[in-house]
Each structure stands twice: as structure tokens, then as C-alpha cells.
Amino acid sequence: MASSCSQALRHHVCKSSRILRVHLQKAWPNRSFVLNSAADQQPAVSSPVEEIVIPKKKTWSKEAVLQALASTVNRDPTASDYRFQDDPYLTPKTSSEFKLFSLSQESGRNAAKYFISTYPKYFQKDYAQPHIPCLMPETLEAQIEEVSEAALIERIQMRKVKAAVDLYDQLQQAGTPVSLDVTNQLLDLICFYGDCDPAQENVPEQRNEETEDVQDEPQTKKGRASKASDKLKAAWKENNNAERIFALLSEPNTHSYSALIRGMVKYGAYSKAFSTYTDLLNNQLKADVSTFNALITAAPEVKEKYNEKWELIVDLLKQMAEQKVKPNLLTLNAVLKALRRCGTVGKSQAFPVISEMRALSIDPSLASYNHLLSIFYKPGAPFQGQTDILQEVMNEVSGKSFTPQDPDDAQFFITAVRICLDTKDIEQAYRVHELLGVGENWRLLGNDFQQNIYHARFFSLLCMMENIDVVLKWYRDLVPSVYYPSSNVMRDLLQVLDTDNRLDLIPQIWKDLKQLGHGNRQTLVEELLTLMAREKQNQEVQETFAECALDIKKMYDTGDRGKVMMSWTAGSLSDLVSVLLAAQRRQDAWEILKLFKTHNRVPSEELLDKFLTCIKESGDVNQALELVQISAGFCLPGTPKLIQRVQQEFLLSEQQKSMLSDLEIQTFNSD
Amino acid sequence: MVFSADAITAPCAAGGSNALFCKNMATSLVRKTKLLSMVSSQLNSAACFRNIHCTAACLKNRAARIRVAKGDKPVTYEQAYHPHHIGHRKGWLSQHTSNLQGEDGAAERVVEDVFIRRFMYGTFHGCLADEVVIKRRGNLLLICAVMIQKLLPSKFYFLIGYTEELLSHFYKCPVKIEMQTVEEKVVYKYL
């Protein structure tokens, strides 16, 4: 309103100034420059009445301010996950600690929930206005006791499968008719849970994961986790409650058939599902879209050859069209998923399917793209000119924010980054990672385990393809706030350091390795020592190497709290000695040399030669003699040469000369 | 100061020979009763009421103060400074808006705070390094605690999850714990 007022006022002023100008122009035809400039700057509105367009009032959601504030803040790469407390003692430093802490927090919550549900009377007082239902104690026991339909509905809502089935049987025996809707709901319940009560989510899986060995690599954990979940999923039993109740129905309708078929497909009874479908057709009933989705999912299981599978799917789709059932997104995804099992037929038919579905205004979701990528990029198969497909998919998908519409959406990022890793395509990998940052897409990355796989693959690709500065930038960004690398990935990182000749960063990497819990992995540590010992660096770098090497030595010695003990090899000991010698730390190197004997390893000749050179610089004759004695003790073939060198390069007393000549004879005799 | 009038009047009733003695006694008696009435009138004025005390004695000059002792008792910063230093050298342990003009619910907040402090003391038994600070931001109840690194971090997280969930359901508002750990109790001085 203020603006319209000012507008009117301005108009009035303009009008009056125009009138004034006209008069003035008449009076002073030559002196109108001042008035002209001001008066000429009128708005270009000719009509006396203007259209004032008042914009529509914008309604903001309650969280709009918070979302706006949140969009100004990026992820903090120095902080750990939001679940944990911001304290160095309480921050997880390895992936096993991450899992342990988050699981212990969850189990604390479950313990509290147990108390709340066992003693609900202490939690009834309601302070909250408005009422917060999730903070009230939930009733776990069914309230309605008498045998009635309402009690059955209650048990179905509480997901108590066995209790509901028992109650249904009781109702049947008592002769009370149960309505078709309620029976359908019961069938839904039984078929969804496969005729067993839903297990308490937290207890059994936690126990499986907590008893795993802490030292294991994430890859083996994945294998075990999938096996555990497979065992938990029951198979469709013969003549179970669902089929029995279904048989009792006098007039099963579409919903009942749908529940039964979907249950059968979910629990592996594929051929039964198809026979139930033929029953449905014989009863002149129409199937609904979810039934068709389930059947399409089951199609690859019942046929063997690719062509037959595809023909069955096409047949089902045709029947769908005949029965005037509209397909939805899940239909598209089911067809694409089935095409993954159809080999070459899948490759030829995938794109036509997508375009037909597009014509029906079904937009593909991330799950569809995931299936598409899996059809064309089979893991382990060689690629011939198929890199375009990933690019095309990324062109389609970039910049869009997706919502979860299908359980397989969470697989997209992992599949995409796997393909990038296999085809060594760093550009597409960056685009995939960028897509994660768009809108709500971070929700589609999956659980902690899938996130770990994604980051592992992404980081390995980076190590393979990029130079050290880029790799280090990503390393500092991702580790350890988002990703705890495994020892394989750390080895890749060491290779990058080697390739780009930045070995001076090794001590920092060693510190990170210790923190990540990889400090006692023998292969990794030996590789570190070899890299340090290979070339002579400049003085400061050599000093840091020496410190690092001594630190590594400590890792071999301490075997506290049942950690895996590493054993010295000749190579690692030699490398350690070389590093210390290069840093002019003769005393420490001498200590290590003695370790050869204690651990039954044989030093090489070059090492002893190097040591002798070092001793010569300091001029300690006794140490030289001891060195020769050590060499003789190991019966090394290079001992005579060593003796000669000592005789030539050092000033020896008579006693020492005689000792040396004795040794010489000794070694000569033993040869 | 109950004067037994019987003891004084008795010798007066005995005989005339004690008349002088009685007269002296009577004047002193009158003087004393005058004194008594003066004193009792002063006592009954508004300045000095001595009523019946039916609760435990809450000595405000002894509360939250650790008295100076031999010099071997370690004391934290919070314990070392007395309540009159709050706002000057100490902060507040409980932060909410019910004490502002026109706001209500102060008493309920106090009761909640007491419960929360006892709950924390008992749940994290032996681990608390200092008093728990309770902050209320809108609906959120934030419990800030400094703990000694007595338990393993996984055990700490178990107790944190348990406390947050239980107190959220109890008070029907989101409860968050912010924890900081120290290696041992931070001693400010020895009293």
C-alpha cells in the first residue's frame, strides 16, 4: 500500500510538474533546461490510471529460516559425524570404532525404550503443547481382549502376525463372519512378513555385528552381513497360513490375490505365484499394478533362456495393457531389473522400454538408472565403447534432486562409482560426486556401510588418476570425517606419493596410519620402510624419516592388549638401519643391528658395507671390529672383504691386527 | 524470668518485724517487673520476632561454601567460589528464561533441574568432574557435562543414548547431552 501511495504521489507530482513546465515553457522558451532534466525523468506511463500488480503472498514453511541458515554452512572437514560428541576422547578414529560407538549409542536408546515400555505409568504426564505422540510410551500389548473383529484389526496394526492369525482362527470357529477387507488386511500382513513375527529390529543383527573381529577388513564384513540377512529371510513354506486363509475365502477379490502373489514372489515361491495368477485369470478377475510388478520381478526366475524371459515379460505387459492397468515407476524398475538377467536381450531392449515409459509420463528414478548401468556395465566384463552410456546417464541426472521412490535408489551411487573405477573415468566420477551435493541426494547414499564402499572406490580412483596435490586435497577433505580408509587404500596413497616424488610426506601419513589403526599391518609398514630407505633425501627430510623409523620400531615392540604382533624380516630391519644411518644416527643403528641376532635374521652385505663406511666417518675402531665379528658370526661370504677394508682403512693396534688376522684365517678355513 | 511471688509474699505474711525487709523486697520486685514489661514490649515490636521454627535450619551463610581446612582438600573452581560470586566470578549452572519479568514456570524448572542433576550423578556415577550445566533453548533441554575419562567411550555412548532417550520421554521435549572429557578432575586450589 505504501508503494501504491508513493506511486500515486509521484504521478501527481509528475503531473503537476508537467503542467508547471508547460506554463514555464510558454513563459521562458529558452530556459527550461533545469526543469527539463527533472521533469523529463518521468516513468514511461502514458495512461493516467496504472495497473498495480500486487504479488501473491508467499507462505513460508516453519523450517524455512532454519533451512536458509543451513544452506550457508558447509560440512566441516575437521569434525566427526553429527552423532558423536565433540571431544577427542569420544571421537571415533577408525571405522570399527565408528561402528562400535554408534551401535552402543543405539543400544543405550533401546535400553531406555525397554524401561519406558515396561513402566509406562511413569511417562504418562504430558507437558508438551502441542502434543508430541512419539515421546509418549507406546503400548506393546494389545488392549482389546475379546474375540472380535476390532481386536483383529488392532493386532494387524501392531504387526503381531501369529496373534492375528490365532485370533482369526478363533473368530472362524466361533462362526463370526470376518469382512473381506479385514481378511485382506490380514493376508497383507501375513504375506509381507512371510508368516513369522517381525523380529525386533535391533537385537539379533547387533549381536551378529558386534561379535565380529575388530581387525577385519570392511570387505569381509560385507560378505558376512549379506549372509546373515539371507539367513534371516524365511522361505515360503508349503500350506502356510496365508494359503490356508486364502482357501477359506469364499470370494477372493483382486486385493486378496495381489497379497498372495506378492508374498509368494517376495519369499521365493515363483512358480506358485504364476499359478496363482492363472487362477486369478480363470476367475475373471483383474490384477492390479503391484501384482504385475511382482510377476515381472519373478519372470526371470521361472524361465531359463534370455529370449523366453523377455517374452514372458512382454506377455505380462501386454496383459497389463489389456486389463487397462496403468504401469507406474515400480513397473519400469521391475522390467529393468529383470532385463539385467537377460544378457544381450537386455542391452537391446533397455532403451526402448525407457522411452515407452517416458511416453506414459513415467520418469525414471535413480533406481532405473542404476539398473540401466548394471545392464550395460557388468562387473568384471571388458568394455567396448560403452563409456558413452555413463556419460549420457550423468547428463540426464546432473543437477537434479531426487527423492527416494524405490529401495534400489540407494545402489545408484555405488554402481556409478564402480563403473568409473573400472573404466578409469575421473571426469564422470567428479560429476557423480557433485550430484551427491545437490539438494536431498545425500540421503540416497545408503547406510554407513554403503557410504564406506562409495568413498573407498572414489578415493582409489583419485589415487589412480590424479596427482598428489589433488589427492591430498581430497584426502584432507574426506579423511577421517567422512571416510576411514582401509589399508589397501592407504597403500594406493603411498604409491601416489612415490609416483609424484613426495616421499617427504611419509611421516605425516604414518601418523595418520597409526591413528586409523593400521599401524600394525605388516605389509603396509614394510612398504613404508622400503620407501623411506630407497633413496637418500636432504637433511631435514632424513631427520624426520629417522624419527618416523624409530616410531615404527616401537610398533614392533609393543604387543599390549592383544594387538596383532608384527615380526621383523631381514628386509625391514635392513631398511630401518639404512634410514638411521642416512640420518647419521649411528648409535640407534647399532642397537638395531644387534636385533638381527635376537630375531634370527641375516643382514645383507651391502648393509654391513654401508655401516662400515659410516663407522669410518666417525673413526671408532672398536665398533668396526665388532662389526667384523658380527659379520663373521653370521658366516657371511663378504666377511673377508670387510676384514680387508678394516685393515686398510683403520689404524689398528697390534692386538687388533692379530685378532683380525685370526678372524681372516677362520673365515678362510670355513669357506 | 518467672518471679515466684509466693516466695516473696510469704515472709511478708510472716510478721511485722520483717516489714522493712518486705518493703525493700517489694520495691525491688516492682523495679524488676517494670524492667520485664519494658523488655517484653521491646521484644514484641516488629524488629525481633522469634517464631516457632518447623523446618530444618537452612543456613544461607553456610550453603555451597567449602570451608578452609588443612590444605589437602582439592577443590574445583566451581566449589572454590561462594554463591555471592555468581555473576561476578562464576556463571550460572542453570539457564532458562522463567526468571524474567512476566514469565512463569520457574518452580517447575527448578524441580526439573534437581531431578536431572540427581539423574546424571547416578547414571554417570563417579564420572562427573564438575557440576552439570543445564541450558534450555526453546523446546530443547541441553545438558552439558564434563566427565572424567573413567569409562570406555563405547560405555559413555551407551549411557548418553540411554539418558537422552529416557529424559526425552520423561519431559516430553528433546534432550541433548553435550559432553566433554578430562583426564582427571581439574583442581583449582587446595583448601
Side-chain angles (χ1 to χ4, degrees), chain A residues 227-469:
Chain A
K227 276 182 210 147
S229 62
D230 282 344
K231 278 184 206 136
L232 286 174
K233 200 174 173 184
W236 186 263
K237 300 186 213 37
E238 286 284 331
N239 290 329
N240 62 6
N241 288 321
E243 292 183 11
R244 183 173 58 87
I245 293 175
F246 185 78
L248 286 174
L249 277 175
S250 52
E251 294 178 354
N253 69 353
T254 311
H255 193 131
S256 339
Y257 273 107
S258 165
L260 198 62
I261 292 176
R262 285 159 76 185
M264 285 174 178
V265 171
K266 182 172 177 180
Y267 288 97
Y270 303 112
S271 29
K272 263 201 170 172
F274 274 98
S275 44
T276 320
Y277 176 64
T278 29
D279 277 343
L280 177 141
L281 290 176
N282 290 343
N283 287 350
Q284 268 98 34
L285 285 173
K286 293 204 189 300
D288 62 356
V289 68
S290 30
T291 320
F292 277 112
N293 292 346
L295 287 171
I296 293 173
T297 321
E301 310 282 347
V302 292
K303 299 279 185 204
E304 292 300 323
K305 292 212 184 130
Y306 296 154
N307 302 350
E308 289 173 19
K309 290 183 196 181
W310 177 240
E311 273 160 33
L312 182 54
I313 295 174
V314 171
D315 195 36
L316 281 168
L317 287 171
K318 285 202 184 116
Q319 286 182 22
M320 221 169 141
E322 273 171 41
Q323 296 184 17
K324 309 251 188 315
V325 176
K326 269 202 76 110
N328 62 6
L329 174 65
L330 295 173
T331 321
L332 169 62
N333 288 345
V335 174
L336 286 174
K337 195 167 184 179
L339 280 176
R340 277 165 81 161
R341 309 270 304 270
C342 289
T344 43
V345 176
K347 288 190 192 175
S348 51
Q349 295 296 334
F351 281 107
V353 165
I354 294 185
S355 18
E356 273 195 38
M357 290 288 179
R358 274 251 174 81
L360 288 167
S361 65
I362 298 175
D363 281 325
S365 76
L366 280 183
S368 341
Y369 292 118
N370 174 42
H371 295 314
L372 190 64
L373 288 174
S374 310
I375 292 174
F376 284 96
Y377 294 93
K378 298 262 187 275
F383 312 108
Q384 300 117 0
Q386 287 162 339
T387 44
D388 317 337
I389 297 186
L390 179 61
Q391 214 163 8
E392 280 175 40
V393 168
M394 288 315 296
N395 289 344
E396 278 287 324
V397 158
S398 291
K400 289 193 203 156
S401 175
F402 289 91
T403 51
Q405 288 160 303
D406 183 299
D408 285 327
D409 283 340
Q411 301 291 326
F412 172 75
F413 286 104
I414 301 181
T415 317
V417 84
R418 168 180 68 82
I419 294 168
C420 292
L421 184 62
D422 288 338
T423 55
K424 310 231 187 326
D425 196 344
I426 190 74
E427 293 301 322
Q428 300 305 320
Y430 281 139
R431 288 176 83 182
V432 172
H433 198 73
E434 226 180 280
L435 181 64
L436 256 189
V438 174
E440 300 280 304
N441 290 348
W442 60 270
R443 294 181 198 273
L444 293 171
L445 192 49
N447 58 13
D448 294 328
F449 183 65
Q450 286 166 321
Q451 279 185 23
N452 205 16
I453 301 178
Y454 172 83
H455 286 294
R457 289 180 179 161
F458 183 63
F459 198 69
S460 311
L461 182 62
L462 279 174
C463 286
M464 252 196 277
M465 302 295 292
E466 292 281 359
N467 67 354
I468 185 69
D469 296 317

Side-chain angles (χ1 to χ4, degrees), chain B residues 94-106:
Chain B
S94 171
Q95 297 175 2
H96 55 84
T97 57
S98 342
N99 286 328
L100 296 175
Q101 166 85 337
E103 302 284 340
D104 57 355

Side-chain angles (χ1 to χ4, degrees), chain B residues 19-112:
Chain B
L20 196 63
F21 175 71
C22 282
K23 200 174 164 193
N24 284 341
M25 272 296 191
T27 48
S28 69
L29 181 61
V30 165
R31 226 185 302 132
K32 277 176 182 134
T33 46
K34 270 205 192 132
L35 222 84
L36 177 59
S37 58
M38 227 166 45
V39 171
S40 58
S41 66
Q42 274 182 359
L43 277 174
N44 280 336
S45 68
C48 38
F49 261 113
R50 194 76 185 272
N51 295 319
I52 301 173
H53 215 168
C54 49
T55 61
C58 303
L59 301 165
K60 64 173 172 57
N61 46 356
R62 292 198 73 90
R65 287 158 211 265
I66 297 189
R67 302 272 152 179
V68 176
K70 279 224 185 334
D72 54 356
K73 182 160 51 172
V75 135
T76 63
Y77 188 92
E78 186 70 39
Q79 293 164 332
Y81 284 104
H82 297 162
H84 63 266
H85 288 126
I86 292 177
H88 303 274
R89 300 184 201 176
K90 289 207 293 190
W92 280 265
L93 288 179
S94 171
Q95 297 175 2
H96 55 84
T97 57
S98 342
N99 286 328
L100 296 175
Q101 166 85 337
E103 302 284 340
D104 57 355
E108 286 90 356
R109 302 293 92 78
V110 169
V111 172
E112 286 171 16

Side-chain angles (χ1 to χ4, degrees), chain B residues 4-191:
Chain B
S4 52
D6 318 319
I8 298 169
T9 52
C12 285
S17 55
N18 296 334
L20 196 63
F21 175 71
C22 282
K23 200 174 164 193
N24 284 341
M25 272 296 191
T27 48
S28 69
L29 181 61
V30 165
R31 226 185 302 132
K32 277 176 182 134
T33 46
K34 270 205 192 132
L35 222 84
L36 177 59
S37 58
M38 227 166 45
V39 171
S40 58
S41 66
Q42 274 182 359
L43 277 174
N44 280 336
S45 68
C48 38
F49 261 113
R50 194 76 185 272
N51 295 319
I52 301 173
H53 215 168
C54 49
T55 61
C58 303
L59 301 165
K60 64 173 172 57
N61 46 356
R62 292 198 73 90
R65 287 158 211 265
I66 297 189
R67 302 272 152 179
V68 176
K70 279 224 185 334
D72 54 356
K73 182 160 51 172
V75 135
T76 63
Y77 188 92
E78 186 70 39
Q79 293 164 332
Y81 284 104
H82 297 162
H84 63 266
H85 288 126
I86 292 177
H88 303 274
R89 300 184 201 176
K90 289 207 293 190
W92 280 265
L93 288 179
S94 171
Q95 297 175 2
H96 55 84
T97 57
S98 342
N99 286 328
L100 296 175
Q101 166 85 337
E103 302 284 340
D104 57 355
E108 286 90 356
R109 302 293 92 78
V110 169
V111 172
E112 286 171 16
D113 283 359
V114 171
F115 179 83
I116 291 170
R117 283 178 209 285
R118 284 188 193 225
F119 188 88
M120 293 297 286
Y121 181 72
T123 313
F124 294 90
H125 198 76
C127 298
L128 278 177
D130 207 346
E131 295 286 335
V132 170
V133 172
I134 301 175
K135 304 181 188 179
R136 286 178 176 79
R137 289 178 197 158
N139 197 18
L140 177 69
L141 190 67
L142 198 60
I143 302 176
C144 310
V146 183
M147 301 278 174
I148 306 173
Q149 290 168 3
K150 192 172 151 185
L151 301 173
L152 286 177
S154 52
K155 294 199 203 288
F156 269 124
Y157 277 110
F158 178 87
L159 292 175
I160 288 172
Y162 166 76
T163 311
E164 283 185 358
E165 189 75 13
L166 199 77
L167 288 179
S168 304
H169 281 254
F170 194 59
Y171 285 122
K172 309 289 179 240
C173 63
V175 172
K176 296 237 179 302
I177 292 188
E178 281 195 10
M179 191 181 282
Q180 189 197 338
T181 56
V182 284
E183 296 207 353
E184 41 184 48
K185 255 193 187 179
V186 184
V187 177
Y188 179 67
K189 60 184 182 183
Y190 291 89
L191 288 182

Side-chain angles (χ1 to χ4, degrees), chain A residues 85 87 89-90 123 135-136, chain B residues 151 157 172 177 179 181:
Chain A
Q85 300 290 328
D87 183 69
Y89 183 69
L90 296 174
F123 297 91
L135 290 179
M136 299 300 288
Chain B
L151 301 173
Y157 277 110
K172 309 289 179 240
I177 292 188
M179 191 181 282
T181 56

